[in-house]
């Protein structure tokens, strides 16, 4: 992970991406299910990173072949973290590496963050007195590597699908393109990742809602995928309440 974008992958801030708020009964062993679905025409390697103090789920990563899914129970306690797809992963000479989203050369990330660019699904699951709620959103703050949506199931009320369905690899500006050694575009960097300036990274003097502003680069992502967070102090444009979801699906290449 680069220092210019480590804050947005390693630190979850509730206001730093589009949030959709759900409320439901307190989780039990038969409660909320998280399902990861691979609709891409290639294998992806999902990675799961908890925020500090929260448990690692599913050892933090695994392979997910095309047109398959994997489901697991959400923790019964408060949990927050992020999920992303790693792409172009290979294992050679006892070394595992990915073209995008790599978490330090590990198949099972075990709590490690990913290298941008990567499309992020972010969650915060809260529990209270006989009530729990979940916030979820999709962030392009660290750039884009695959289309991704979060889809709630069996909820009541307004339960939107949020995310980015567009193929940004096909339209990524030249200065933001991440290419493989073979010359294929495998990711679309954020302005911060590409140029590393304080202004684009919302660091130092620019690290406040008053001074951190949208750039031409974040506006490219926002225009393509308006229901996503695209820079560090972006203001969520949607807020929805969804009661009692049974399942949250993260769908890659939806």
């Amino acid at each position: 992970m680069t220092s210019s974008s480590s804050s947005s992958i390693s630190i979850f801030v509730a206001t730093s991406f589009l949030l959709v708020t759900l409320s439901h009964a307190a989780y039990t062993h038969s409660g909320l299910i998280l399902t990861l679905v691979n609709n891409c025409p290639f294998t992806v390697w999902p990675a799961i990173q908890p925020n500090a103090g929260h448990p690692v789920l599913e050892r933090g990563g695994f392979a997910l072949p095309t047109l398959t899914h994997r489901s697991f129970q959400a923790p019964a306690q408060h949990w927050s973290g992020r999920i992303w797809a790693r792409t172009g992963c290979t294992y050679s000479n006892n070394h595992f590496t990915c073209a995008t989203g790599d978490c330090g050369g590990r198949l099972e990330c075990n709590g490690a963050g990913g290298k941008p660019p990567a499309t992020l699904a972010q969650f915060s699951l809260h529990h209270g007195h006989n009530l729990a709620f979940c916030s979820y959103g999709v962030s392009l703050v660290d750039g884009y590597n695959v289309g991704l949506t979060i889809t709630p199931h069996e909820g009541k009320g307004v339960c939107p699908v949020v995310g980015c369905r567009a193929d940004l690899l096909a339209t990524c500006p030249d200065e933001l393109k991440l290419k493989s050694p073979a010359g294929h575009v495998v990711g679309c960097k954020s302005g911060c990742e590409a140029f590393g300036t304080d202004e684009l990274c919302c660091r130092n003097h620019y690290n406040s809602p008053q001074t951190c502003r949208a750039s031409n680069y974040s506006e490219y992502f926002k225009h393509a995928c308006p229901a996503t967070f695209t820079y560090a102090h972006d203001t969520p444009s949607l807020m929805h309440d969804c009661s009692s979801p049974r399942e949250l699906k993260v769908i890659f290449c939806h």
Side-chain angles (χ1 to χ4, degrees):
M1 187 189 308
T2 63
S3 60
S4 63
S5 57
S6 60
S7 61
S8 51
I9 283 189
S10 62
I11 302 175
F12 173 83
V13 182
T15 58
S16 66
F17 57 88
L18 169 68
L19 291 177
V20 183
T21 302
L22 299 86
S23 62
H24 52 85
Y27 299 135
T28 66
H29 292 297
S30 59
L32 181 66
I33 299 294
L34 296 175
T35 297
L36 309 189
V37 181
N38 182 13
N39 276 355
C40 302
F42 47 81
T43 297
V44 299
W45 287 259
I48 307 169
Q49 184 190 25
N51 290 334
H54 299 288
V56 174
L57 308 182
E58 302 297 292
R59 298 178 180 266
F62 48 86
L64 193 63
T66 181
L67 302 180
T68 63
H69 72 275
R70 180 161 171 171
S71 297
F72 49 93
Q73 197 79 39
Q77 71 273 26
H78 171 54
W79 187 89
S80 64
R82 67 213 48 80
I83 296 171
W84 68 94
R86 293 169 289 171
T87 65
C89 301
T90 58
Y91 185 80
S92 178
N93 298 322
N94 295 319
H95 182 62
F96 181 82
T97 185
C98 300
T100 66
D102 191 87
C103 61
R106 308 174 187 177
L107 170 61
E108 298 174 341
C109 296
N110 198 30
K115 183 178 180 180
T119 314
L120 299 178
Q122 298 183 308
F123 300 89
S124 184
L125 316 178
H126 299 272
H127 301 271
H129 298 290
N130 299 317
L131 180 70
F133 66 93
C134 167
S135 297
Y136 66 93
V138 173
S139 172
L140 301 180
V141 172
D142 290 295
Y144 169 102
N145 63 343
V146 297
L148 180 157
T149 63
I150 302 174
T151 302
H153 285 276
E154 298 185 24
K156 300 175 183 177
V158 180
C159 301
V161 176
V162 299
C164 182
R165 297 174 185 260
D167 178 12
L168 301 189
L169 301 186
T171 62
C172 185
D174 287 343
E175 62 269 33
L176 301 183
K177 289 178 179 177
L178 174 67
K179 294 184 177 181
S180 69
H184 303 298
V185 179
V186 295
C188 191
K189 302 176 186 178
S190 67
C192 173
E193 176 69 13
F195 302 105
T197 67
D198 284 356
E199 185 173 8
L200 289 174
C201 296
C202 292
R203 288 187 307 235
N204 299 323
H205 169 73
Y206 297 97
N207 187 21
S208 75
Q210 292 74 35
T211 57
C212 175
R213 301 294 185 184
S215 67
N216 290 338
Y217 304 112
S218 69
E219 286 299 308
Y220 159 73
F221 291 109
K222 181 69 74 174
H223 178 75
C225 300
T228 62
F229 182 79
T230 60
Y231 65 99
H233 288 281
D234 199 356
T235 301
S237 58
L238 295 171
M239 183 70 76
H240 299 276
D241 293 325
C242 180
S243 176
S244 302
R246 176 73 176 88
E247 179 183 39
L248 288 174
K249 283 185 176 179
V250 176
I251 305 177
F252 304 111
C253 300
H254 193 190

